[in-house]
Amino acid sequence: MVKGRLEAFSDGVLAIIITIMVLELKVPHGDDLSALGPLLPVFLSYVLSFIFVGIYWSNHHHLLHAVRHVNGSILWANLHLLFWLSLVPFVTGWMGENHFAAVPTATYGVVLLMAGVAYYLLERAIIAREGRESVLAIAVGRDWKGKLSPVLYLIAIPLAFASRAAAGAIYVLVALIWLIPDRRIERVLPEPRAADGAAAAPPR
Amino acid sequence: MVKGRLEAFSDGVLAIIITIMVLELKVPHGDDLSALGPLLPVFLSYVLSFIFVGIYWSNHHHLLHAVRHVNGSILWANLHLLFWLSLVPFVTGWMGENHFAAVPTATYGVVLLMAGVAYYLLERAIIAREGRESVLAIAVGRDWKGKLSPVLYLIAIPLAFASRAAAGAIYVLVALIWLIPDRRIERVLPEPRAADGAAAAPPR
Amino acid sequence: MVKGRLEAFSDGVLAIIITIMVLELKVPHGDDLSALGPLLPVFLSYVLSFIFVGIYWSNHHHLLHAVRHVNGSILWANLHLLFWLSLVPFVTGWMGENHFAAVPTATYGVVLLMAGVAYYLLERAIIAREGRESVLAIAVGRDWKGKLSPVLYLIAIPLAFASRAAAGAIYVLVALIWLIPDRRIERVLPEPRAADGAAAAPPR
Amino acid sequence: MVKGRLEAFSDGVLAIIITIMVLELKVPHGDDLSALGPLLPVFLSYVLSFIFVGIYWSNHHHLLHAVRHVNGSILWANLHLLFWLSLVPFVTGWMGENHFAAVPTATYGVVLLMAGVAYYLLERAIIAREGRESVLAIAVGRDWKGKLSPVLYLIAIPLAFASRAAAGAIYVLVALIWLIPDRRIERVLPEPRAADGAAAAPPR
């Protein structure tokens, strides 16, 4: 089974997810700046979710880059991840339109947590196929971000009922942690370009 | 005619179909958990359809992998399949918003049945081009899932008027049958990677 | 400038156009078959437009296949074509929701006519780049379908005000003419696969 | 990190942005030509934004073509550009539905300005990776259009409050400046096709 279509399909789904979120920014009827006021929380939640989906795309990109063989488990683990990410526009809109109310803010965390779990399962499926000695297995073993994020979500979800600001701050913190470029896999691969360069075709 | 664009276009359409379905999950106005209650049947029908479209993508992926030459019949048989799948978001929303009422549930089965018929016609178009002795023809000949599914849909469609739960259970059953990875084509091809490896370019 | 991204972007836009049209099929509130009745004209116009966009995708596929070099004129001629095609969902919805009333039906023809003109300009831009002796120039020279279609649209547009059925019949006729596989370019290229096979990479 | 997925993801997002803008063209209820009247400003703003997104796609295409290595900065600079472009459908709809009122027209300019800034940052990130002596650095150094556009936006934004027509005219002027094919990079590369031809795989 060829990896190219898995990447192409995932890119397509992620591109649509990241773009349809903007449809929740409903064009207001007024034509002055005050008309934009009620949209501010929707806009802020859009920015946050844009960054999260961007992080997933970037990490997915790295993860799949290390894959050599695709099997049925990897394919379905990938679809499972895309399923949870497909709910991000819904929870983003719900959280934004309700000005970060407790339940929507907690639900947002639940979807992020489930996406994190799905990403972990995808990593496991790939390592099961590639072998415990693979570059990926070594890189993932050191993945402190991947281990910390679900812990932070698990703190933020109940916290949303006590302090929505604190829960929101944790989501922003997780995003910031990941925005620092993910060099896990790059670091283990000593010369990624050399490995690519060995192939007949140019990297394009 | 090059296969790459047929795959890319199909991936694009399938990625959009699987993602726009989530737009039927309208953001509720309330901000507590009870606001999510009315969305439950819409959510369940979304999960079911996500799995069905995922199955079609996965099978399409396998099917096209075995194709060497694309002609006009294959191209239009493929568009015909995409047409029926493009109706999935509509029937999913209709079934979900009406809490699995009889007519929408039966209509859902009709669209799945027509997609199954279209997939069968696509297989025929490919075999007509590739030859009866091709790997694909042998693999499809043993395709008990492909033969069982339309029979199950034909049972479920009238059954929806007697028991919507029974019809729904049959749809879930079909999904479960397919979720078991489709190894039909993989099994016949003794060493798919070797076949790929013979090509100049790496599988990427 | 590499042709691959031009094809990928066009595939993306065409895949979205063909899929968002289905969003005009609004999920009805009723749960019986009579609820689908008012949707019938919208559905019929969707089927017609799905076929037209499919025809454009198929022809675009053939046309670009014959291209060796992309320049700025080709790029903008292609965007110009995509612009007119992007209006198809709008006129499809307008025509369908108004039960093929005269003005929407004529407007539908205007958009198809403009898309046909844009396709012609794209052909000209490609021939200007590839040369009058190119395979494409010879193939297009014999293009009776491309010359007949605008004539038929020009008849259908005023006819819509006299008889909407007659105008609709002409649109269906144009679609049927094109549904016969476009072998213009295939016919001139004696062995398309041999030409591809000469390249280092497999056709994939 | 492979450039292909960065291009594929960007193509996907840009294809969706350029296409969902047409959803702001709401199907009118009337069935005569006068029903299209109120849509005229929405249509005009759609045409303008279609051209702007087309320009960005075309320039992005050229820019990425010159890239050999992708790193984390380039990836996030690219996502940052896509973020601002993802707001184009929103400001397009707002400006169109309010008949080019002052605040929406100025906001439109702000989003274009921010997209221009993001494009500049992407160029910087690429030059930082490719080196100051690279083909791209030389080409960008002469980029008078890229330097003029933000100046024009900065004039148009406050001008919108005095004369919306003048601000709109400046946006059209910027579009026209860019519609002249961007030969910056093509000019510096003496024989782009030769460079491609040196690679094992055909340009496709």
Side-chain angles (χ1 to χ4, degrees):
Chain A
M1 199 188 286
V2 181
K3 192 173 75 169
R5 281 195 74 183
L6 190 72
E7 292 184 325
F9 183 73
S10 306
D11 279 346
V13 171
L14 291 172
I16 299 161
I17 289 171
I18 215 170
T19 320
I20 63 173
M21 279 193 296
V22 89
L23 295 178
E24 286 299 322
L25 272 179
K26 303 268 164 55
V27 172
H29 289 296
D31 66 357
D32 50 7
L33 267 184
S34 68
L36 292 184
L39 287 177
L40 190 65
V42 182
F43 181 73
L44 289 179
S45 64
Y46 173 58
V47 173
L48 187 63
S49 294
F50 191 97
I51 292 170
F52 270 115
V53 178
I55 289 165
Y56 270 102
W57 176 73
S58 167
N59 288 348
H60 189 268
H61 183 118
H62 278 81
L63 185 64
L64 268 280
H65 188 51
V67 169
R68 288 170 189 278
H69 312 287
V70 174
N71 60 13
S73 316
I74 293 174
L75 193 150
W76 281 102
N78 190 59
L79 278 169
H80 179 235
L81 171 61
L82 295 179
F83 173 77
W84 288 107
L85 291 176
S86 80
L87 295 179
V88 168
F90 172 77
V91 289
T92 302
W94 198 34
M95 183 170 73
E97 286 186 16
N98 289 290
H99 298 68
F100 300 88
V103 176
T105 302
T107 308
Y108 187 81
V110 170
V111 168
L112 288 183
L113 176 63
M114 293 310 295
V117 169
Y119 190 83
Y120 173 82
L121 294 175
L122 176 59
E123 279 181 346
R124 290 295 115 190
I126 292 171
I127 290 172
R129 180 72 182 79
E130 299 281 322
R132 300 203 146 273
E133 308 306 316
S134 65
V135 165
L136 182 70
I138 296 163
V140 167
R142 303 184 199 149
D143 176 17
W144 62 273
K145 289 181 187 177
K147 285 163 189 153
L148 182 59
S149 302
V151 174
L152 290 174
Y153 293 139
L154 282 172
I155 294 171
I157 293 166
L159 195 60
F161 295 93
S163 162
R164 302 158 325 161
I170 290 178
Y171 299 152
V172 172
L173 177 69
V174 175
L176 290 176
I177 288 173
W178 283 102
L179 271 179
I180 302 159
D182 184 343
R183 299 211 184 280
R184 279 177 295 156
I185 292 163
E186 283 177 28
R187 223 181 274 147
V188 179
L189 288 165
E191 293 194 359
R193 301 247 49 91
D196 274 353
R204 265 209 297 166
Chain B
M1 198 189 287
V2 181
K3 192 172 76 169
R5 281 196 73 183
L6 189 71
E7 292 183 326
F9 183 73
S10 306
D11 278 346
V13 171
L14 292 172
I16 298 161
I17 289 171
I18 216 170
T19 320
I20 63 173
M21 278 194 296
V22 89
L23 295 178
E24 286 299 322
L25 273 179
K26 304 266 164 55
V27 172
H29 289 297
D31 66 357
D32 50 8
L33 266 184
S34 68
L36 292 184
L39 287 177
L40 190 64
V42 183
F43 180 74
L44 290 179
S45 65
Y46 173 58
V47 172
L48 186 64
S49 293
F50 192 97
I51 292 170
F52 270 115
V53 178
I55 289 166
Y56 270 101
W57 176 74
S58 167
N59 288 348
H60 190 268
H61 183 117
H62 278 80
L63 186 64
L64 269 281
H65 187 51
V67 169
R68 288 170 189 278
H69 312 287
V70 174
N71 61 11
S73 316
I74 293 174
L75 194 149
W76 282 101
N78 190 60
L79 278 169
H80 180 236
L81 171 61
L82 295 178
F83 173 78
W84 288 107
L85 292 176
S86 80
L87 296 178
V88 169
F90 172 77
V91 288
T92 302
W94 198 34
M95 184 171 73
E97 285 186 18
N98 289 289
H99 299 67
F100 300 87
V103 176
T105 302
T107 309
Y108 188 81
V110 170
V111 168
L112 288 183
L113 176 65
M114 293 309 294
V117 169
Y119 191 82
Y120 173 81
L121 293 175
L122 177 58
E123 279 182 346
R124 289 296 114 187
I126 292 172
I127 290 172
R129 181 71 182 81
E130 298 281 321
R132 300 203 148 273
E133 309 306 316
S134 65
V135 165
L136 182 70
I138 296 163
V140 167
R142 304 186 199 147
D143 176 16
W144 62 272
K145 289 181 189 178
K147 285 163 189 152
L148 182 59
S149 303
V151 175
L152 291 174
Y153 294 139
L154 281 173
I155 294 171
I157 293 166
L159 195 59
F161 295 93
S163 163
R164 302 159 324 163
I170 290 177
Y171 299 151
V172 172
L173 177 69
V174 175
L176 289 176
I177 287 172
W178 282 102
L179 272 178
I180 302 158
D182 184 344
R183 299 211 185 279
R184 279 178 296 157
I185 292 163
E186 282 176 29
R187 223 181 275 146
V188 179
L189 289 166
E191 293 195 358
R193 302 244 51 90
D196 274 354
R204 262 207 302 166
Chain C
M1 199 190 288
V2 181
K3 192 172 75 169
R5 280 196 74 183
L6 190 72
E7 292 184 324
F9 183 72
S10 306
D11 279 345
V13 172
L14 291 172
I16 299 161
I17 289 171
I18 216 170
T19 320
I20 63 172
M21 278 193 297
V22 89
L23 295 177
E24 285 299 322
L25 273 179
K26 303 268 164 55
V27 171
H29 289 296
D31 65 358
D32 50 7
L33 266 183
S34 67
L36 292 184
L39 287 176
L40 190 64
V42 182
F43 180 74
L44 289 179
S45 64
Y46 172 58
V47 172
L48 187 63
S49 293
F50 191 98
I51 292 169
F52 270 114
V53 177
I55 289 165
Y56 270 101
W57 176 74
S58 167
N59 289 347
H60 190 268
H61 183 118
H62 279 80
L63 186 64
L64 269 280
H65 188 52
V67 169
R68 288 170 189 278
H69 312 287
V70 174
N71 60 13
S73 316
I74 294 174
L75 193 150
W76 281 101
N78 190 59
L79 279 169
H80 179 236
L81 171 61
L82 295 178
F83 173 77
W84 288 107
L85 292 176
S86 79
L87 296 178
V88 168
F90 172 77
V91 288
T92 302
W94 199 34
M95 184 170 73
E97 286 187 17
N98 288 289
H99 298 67
F100 299 88
V103 175
T105 302
T107 309
Y108 188 81
V110 170
V111 168
L112 288 183
L113 177 64
M114 293 309 295
V117 169
Y119 191 82
Y120 174 82
L121 293 174
L122 177 59
E123 279 181 346
R124 290 294 114 189
I126 291 172
I127 290 171
R129 180 72 182 80
E130 298 281 320
R132 299 202 148 273
E133 309 305 317
S134 66
V135 165
L136 182 69
I138 297 163
V140 167
R142 303 185 200 149
D143 176 16
W144 62 273
K145 289 181 187 177
K147 285 163 189 152
L148 182 59
S149 302
V151 175
L152 291 174
Y153 294 140
L154 282 173
I155 294 170
I157 293 165
L159 194 60
F161 294 93
S163 162
R164 302 157 326 161
I170 290 178
Y171 299 152
V172 172
L173 177 69
V174 175
L176 290 176
I177 288 173
W178 283 102
L179 271 179
I180 302 159
D182 185 341
R183 299 211 185 279
R184 278 177 296 156
I185 292 163
E186 282 176 30
R187 222 181 276 149
V188 179
L189 289 165
E191 293 194 0
R193 301 244 53 89
D196 274 354
R204 265 210 297 169
Chain D
M1 198 188 288
V2 180
K3 192 172 75 169
R5 281 195 74 183
L6 190 72
E7 292 183 325
F9 183 72
S10 306
D11 279 345
V13 171
L14 291 172
I16 299 162
I17 289 171
I18 215 170
T19 320
I20 63 173
M21 278 194 297
V22 89
L23 295 178
E24 285 299 322
L25 271 179
K26 303 268 164 55
V27 171
H29 289 296
D31 66 357
D32 51 6
L33 267 183
S34 67
L36 292 184
L39 287 177
L40 190 64
V42 182
F43 180 73
L44 290 178
S45 65
Y46 173 58
V47 172
L48 187 63
S49 293
F50 192 97
I51 292 170
F52 270 115
V53 178
I55 290 165
Y56 270 102
W57 176 73
S58 167
N59 288 348
H60 190 268
H61 183 119
H62 278 81
L63 185 64
L64 269 280
H65 188 52
V67 169
R68 288 170 189 278
H69 312 287
V70 174
N71 60 13
S73 316
I74 293 174
L75 193 150
W76 281 101
N78 191 60
L79 278 168
H80 180 236
L81 171 61
L82 295 179
F83 173 77
W84 288 106
L85 291 176
S86 80
L87 296 178
V88 168
F90 172 77
V91 289
T92 302
W94 198 35
M95 183 171 73
E97 285 186 17
N98 288 288
H99 298 67
F100 301 87
V103 175
T105 302
T107 309
Y108 187 81
V110 170
V111 168
L112 288 183
L113 176 64
M114 294 308 296
V117 168
Y119 190 83
Y120 173 82
L121 293 175
L122 176 59
E123 278 181 347
R124 290 295 115 189
I126 291 171
I127 290 172
R129 180 73 182 78
E130 299 281 321
R132 299 201 146 274
E133 309 305 316
S134 66
V135 165
L136 182 71
I138 296 162
V140 167
R142 304 184 199 149
D143 176 16
W144 62 273
K145 289 181 187 177
K147 284 162 190 154
L148 182 59
S149 302
V151 175
L152 290 174
Y153 294 138
L154 282 172
I155 294 171
I157 293 166
L159 195 60
F161 295 94
S163 162
R164 303 158 325 163
I170 290 178
Y171 298 152
V172 172
L173 177 69
V174 175
L176 289 176
I177 287 173
W178 282 102
L179 271 179
I180 302 159
D182 185 342
R183 299 211 184 280
R184 279 176 296 157
I185 292 162
E186 283 176 29
R187 223 181 274 147
V188 178
L189 288 166
E191 292 194 0
R193 301 246 51 90
D196 274 354
R204 266 210 297 169

